[in-house]
Amino acid sequence: MCRWRAWWKGLIPLALLAAAAVFFGRAPLEVALTERASDLLSDIGESWARARFDGRDALLEGEALSEDARAKVRAELARMSGVRVVEDRTTLLPERRPFTFTIIRDNTSLRLEGYVPSRYARTRIVEAAREAAPNLKLVGEEGLVRARGVPAGDFAGVVAFGIRQLARMPAGRVTLSDDAFSIEGRAPDFATYDALEVTVRSELPGDFKLARFAVLPPAVAPFVWSAQRDADGVLLAGYIPLGDARRALLDAVRGAVPGAAISDQLRLADGAPPSEGWLKAVSFALQQLGRLPGGKVALSDTTITIEGKAPDFAAYDALSAARRAVPEGYTLTRFAVEPPIVSPFTWGVLRNATGLRLVGYAPSEDAKRLLVDALRSGFPGVATSDEMRIASGGPSAEAWVAGATFGVNQLARLRVGEVRGSGQKLVISGEALDSAAYGAVTGALGGAIPGGFALDRPDVRPPVVKPYVFGLRRDAQGLTVSGFYPDRRDHDNMLELARGEFLGAPVNDVSAVAQGAPPGFARAANVALRELARLESGEVRLDDQKLRFSGVAMLPAAIDSIRAALTADLPPGFVVDIALEVAPPPPLMDGPSCQKALSDLLARGSIRFVEGGTAIDPISRGLLDHLAAALGGCPEATVAIAARAGASAEDQTLAAGRAQAVVDYMAQSGVSAGRLLAIANGAEAAGTPRAPGIDFIVR
């Protein structure tokens, strides 16, 4: 029989036990389901969602990127074992168009701004930033906003890629706008710039596109550029500014050197002068390169250099003219263009009555300018016609300037003339301004010629004078020679004769060389000199072909003798005007004094005879007149005129004849023949040599 009242009492403790079992067994179940749900959501790539459990009932929360993601999470969670029902409380993230993200780096920090699709993406981005830039302060990670609209692909991966590129620069910015990737900044060096450009253009994750690469190359100083031309084309080297300069530059190369192959080794760099002016300067330089096969042009900041070898004079003239048309703001600091080669290398400076004329070639513009400066200094105010061109193939510029300047210095001493050069030979010709200038030129031409030049056929002539004047004056001080003479050799010979004929008297020569002498001038001067030696004092003046002869003769008989000699011996065309007087008789002397006077005269000169004969040489008339005058001072003395002779009979005969010739001359000069005795003074012993000559012996 059922005792239901007792059974009912047992239900209460049983219910309590059941409730306790349910309460204490539910918590571990919920924890286990939550952990399994979290792993599931992570495995399917939907970590944005979170699941909470009330027993076996799931409460799904979170902000989804799309309805598909919400449906996917609900379906996957509902299929998980142990889940009874799923309550979906998820929402959709706000959609952002465009979906942007920015990374900004400066020297001390790395800033993150913009949207992320999930907490997971944010975590990856932050970890990438700390790994790539551990020494920078990370700013903005808490302000990143989750949103829908993320482009396809690994968004966090492309952000990490951008962070790694920024880490290579001291400052910069990476911007993502949907699937467009942009980077800007300044590379610290060319290696970094090159690596950045290659990496960004080739390794950017595939679902993203490069919208802008604005990384600046490093700034360089000086900013150099060059173009070199050879048989294969044009080689471009150095730097090129940012922007569209490369295209404009290549167009300029094609225009200057049509058809040339271009080797472009230029690299972008910052630090260039303003692009517009730089391109004008480059275009100017390339125009000159077009005239220079094998040439080179270069820029360094705002300076230009041009070097090469001009193929012809037209090209060289155009290049020289371009030196005066350099673009504004730029300076041509080096013009090393070698002019065309010429052979022979000739040049000249010509002077005539109207001015100067430059002809031929100079080795460089600087050398020519130095020559022109020398002309301006030596010929102030004189008009100059410049026909000289620049060429190669001659002496070095330094040697040429030295030789040409030397020539110009000599030309300044010429009334008309020329200086011409051919290779290392120098020719100077013309008429001197005056006798002093002629002496200076001939003296300079007698020395070494600067620049290694050799003098070739110099033809510098003395000046032409009119009337042609020459003078000789004899007085107590000696012989003075003045006026002009046409030939130095004849003049020197005359002076040498004068020192003998004037018995060693001092000769003061103040004459100068000149052209314009009448025919027979040298002979006339020698005749006049010979007869002047017969005077105690006197003067000779030649005025063209008119001779004036005046002075004091030592003997009355000498006057007619001098007149006859001048009339007979002067060259045809010369006329003579003679004005002579006689000197007073000498004071009387005793025998020893007379002997001394005669011996002194013979010590200063000697009586000469025609070679091999007894006739007296006319040049001895001056000495004989002085001897005759001395004999006038001892009228009572008897004088033996002894001719020294050898031991042979022939010598004795010749000596006797010469002694008699002197006696006859003395007698014609007014000395009494009775006082004179001619003897031949033979050798003391046979074979003893004796110098020929005449002795006067007072008895």
Side-chain angles (χ1 to χ4, degrees):
M1 162 172 223
C2 178
R3 296 178 64 188
W4 61 272
R5 293 185 182 274
W7 176 78
W8 178 83
K9 292 180 181 178
L11 289 176
I12 294 174
L14 181 60
L16 292 173
L17 288 173
V22 170
F23 178 79
F24 290 104
R26 182 175 181 172
L29 177 63
E30 291 176 348
V31 171
L33 290 173
T34 300
E35 291 176 352
R36 287 172 57 203
S38 178
D39 291 340
L40 173 65
L41 294 174
S42 179
D43 290 342
I44 65 175
E46 303 293 344
S47 58
W48 57 271
R50 301 181 302 278
R52 293 190 295 112
F53 282 86
D54 183 5
R56 292 189 298 121
D57 296 339
L59 179 61
L60 188 60
E61 298 175 331
E63 293 178 314
L65 293 174
S66 65
E67 287 293 344
D68 291 342
R70 295 176 71 192
K72 177 182 176 182
V73 169
R74 287 196 302 268
E76 292 294 332
L77 195 59
R79 285 197 295 270
M80 191 178 76
S81 63
V83 176
R84 186 169 64 87
V85 294
V86 176
E87 181 183 351
D88 186 2
R89 293 185 181 179
T90 61
T91 61
L92 286 174
L93 287 172
E95 186 175 15
R96 301 301 182 193
R97 295 292 185 196
F99 196 91
T100 60
F101 194 93
T102 303
I103 314 158
I104 303 171
R105 177 182 175 174
D106 58 25
N107 290 328
T108 59
S109 65
L110 188 70
R111 176 178 293 277
L112 307 178
E113 298 177 352
Y115 306 111
V116 293
S118 65
R119 289 187 299 273
Y120 171 75
R122 178 168 56 190
T123 300
R124 282 184 62 194
I125 290 171
V126 170
E127 289 175 351
R130 288 173 177 161
E131 179 181 353
N135 298 323
L136 297 180
K137 178 182 178 182
L138 188 60
V139 179
E141 68 269 28
E142 297 301 330
L144 297 178
V145 178
R146 292 178 62 235
R148 284 187 303 130
V150 66
D154 185 3
F155 180 82
V158 78
V159 172
F161 173 83
I163 291 172
R164 289 193 296 272
Q165 310 319 309
L166 277 184
R168 297 176 172 181
M169 297 185 289
R173 177 191 296 264
V174 168
T175 302
L176 280 165
S177 180
D178 292 333
D179 62 348
F181 180 94
S182 299
I183 183 170
E184 58 187 275
R186 182 185 294 281
D189 51 54
F190 283 110
T192 301
Y193 178 83
D194 293 342
L196 278 168
E197 187 172 27
V198 170
T199 301
V200 171
R201 295 187 185 279
S202 64
E203 299 181 17
L204 185 67
D207 291 324
F208 292 84
K209 62 185 180 183
L210 181 62
R212 182 168 179 255
F213 182 85
V215 175
L216 297 176
V220 295
F223 195 91
V224 297
W225 169 89
S226 68
Q228 186 165 359
R229 185 177 172 188
D230 56 27
D232 296 329
V234 178
L235 171 64
L236 303 177
Y239 306 113
I240 190 168
L242 305 174
D244 295 331
R246 188 182 300 272
R247 181 172 57 189
L249 173 61
L250 295 178
D251 289 343
V253 174
R254 295 184 186 103
V257 191
I262 301 174
S263 175
D264 184 355
Q265 298 182 10
L266 298 170
R267 66 180 312 153
L268 287 171
D270 203 1
S275 293
E276 182 179 355
W278 188 86
L279 284 172
K280 287 182 179 179
V282 166
S283 179
F284 166 82
L286 287 170
Q287 289 173 9
Q288 314 323 311
L289 186 66
R291 302 182 173 108
L292 287 173
K296 181 179 180 180
V297 293
L299 272 69
S300 178
D301 289 337
T302 58
T303 64
I304 303 173
T305 62
I306 303 173
E307 55 188 83
K309 181 178 179 180
D312 50 48
F313 283 110
Y316 186 82
D317 292 344
L319 287 161
S320 298
R323 299 173 69 176
R324 298 183 289 274
V326 178
E328 184 178 359
Y330 284 76
T331 305
L332 183 62
T333 56
R334 175 174 164 78
F335 183 81
V337 176
E338 184 180 345
I341 296 176
V342 297
S343 181
F345 189 94
T346 59
W347 57 275
V349 182
L350 318 180
R351 181 181 188 184
N352 55 34
T354 60
L356 296 167
R357 181 180 169 208
L358 302 181
V359 298
Y361 306 102
S364 70
E365 291 286 355
D366 289 340
K368 180 179 175 181
R369 183 167 57 252
L370 291 173
L371 173 62
V372 171
D373 290 344
L375 289 172
R376 289 172 180 164
S377 176
F379 302 88
V382 176
T384 301
S385 172
D386 184 2
E387 302 169 24
M388 187 172 281
R389 309 194 74 167
I390 308 303
S392 301
S396 68
E398 182 179 358
W400 185 87
V401 169
T405 303
F406 171 83
V408 166
N409 291 339
Q410 310 320 310
L411 189 63
R413 299 180 172 118
L414 305 181
R415 189 184 314 278
V416 293
E418 298 180 354
V419 178
R420 291 186 180 271
S422 179
Q424 290 292 141
K425 292 183 178 180
L426 191 66
V427 177
I428 299 178
S429 60
E431 179 189 333
L433 286 169
D434 50 42
S435 297
Y438 178 79
V441 172
T442 54
L445 298 184
I449 309 299
F453 281 84
L455 200 61
D456 186 28
R457 304 187 310 277
D459 183 24
V460 177
R461 302 176 296 280
V464 175
V465 297
K466 196 68 176 178
Y468 203 86
V469 177
F470 179 76
L472 298 167
R473 185 178 72 251
R474 180 175 191 174
D475 54 25
Q477 283 71 43
L479 176 67
T480 299
V481 183
S482 61
F484 302 100
Y485 59 88
D487 183 87
R488 182 174 295 278
R489 180 179 298 177
D490 290 344
H491 185 69
D492 290 346
N493 290 337
M494 186 189 72
L495 295 181
E496 186 63 28
L497 288 174
R499 292 184 180 93
E501 293 183 35
F502 284 77
L503 307 178
V507 177
N508 179 30
D509 182 18
V510 294
S511 61
V513 65
Q515 298 182 92
F521 169 84
R523 181 181 171 189
N526 283 330
V527 169
L529 176 73
R530 183 191 71 196
E531 300 307 315
L532 183 64
R534 303 176 67 179
L535 303 183
E536 182 180 81
S537 63
E539 185 172 0
V540 171
R541 179 179 174 86
L542 272 168
D543 193 339
D544 287 333
Q545 290 185 302
K546 182 178 181 180
L547 173 64
R548 177 173 178 78
F549 192 97
S550 61
V552 178
M554 288 178 289
L555 302 168
I559 294 177
D560 291 338
S561 176
I562 291 171
R563 187 186 305 276
L566 290 174
T567 302
D569 295 343
L570 283 175
F574 281 81
V575 296
V576 61
D577 179 13
I578 300 175
L580 294 174
E581 58 186 49
V582 181
L588 296 178
M589 297 178 287
D590 57 17
S593 297
C594 185
Q595 181 67 66
K596 183 178 185 306
L598 295 171
S599 297
D600 287 346
L601 288 170
L602 290 171
R604 289 185 284 157
S606 60
I607 301 171
R608 299 181 184 181
F609 297 88
V610 175
E611 182 71 25
T614 60
I616 297 173
D617 191 322
I619 65 174
S620 294
R621 292 173 184 170
L623 174 59
L624 291 171
D625 283 4
H626 280 76
L627 289 168
L631 287 175
C634 42
E636 302 300 327
T638 300
V639 179
I641 299 177
R644 296 190 295 273
S648 68
E650 293 81 359
D651 289 344
Q652 293 287 333
T653 301
L654 180 64
R658 288 180 173 180
Q660 187 59 50
V662 173
V663 168
D664 294 343
Y665 188 93
M666 293 292 111
Q668 293 170 6
S669 299
V671 179
S672 173
R675 299 171 50 205
L676 303 174
L677 177 63
I679 63 174
N681 194 357
E684 295 179 0
T688 302
R690 293 176 60 85
I694 301 294
D695 295 320
F696 278 53
I697 303 169
V698 179
R699 295 182 176 179

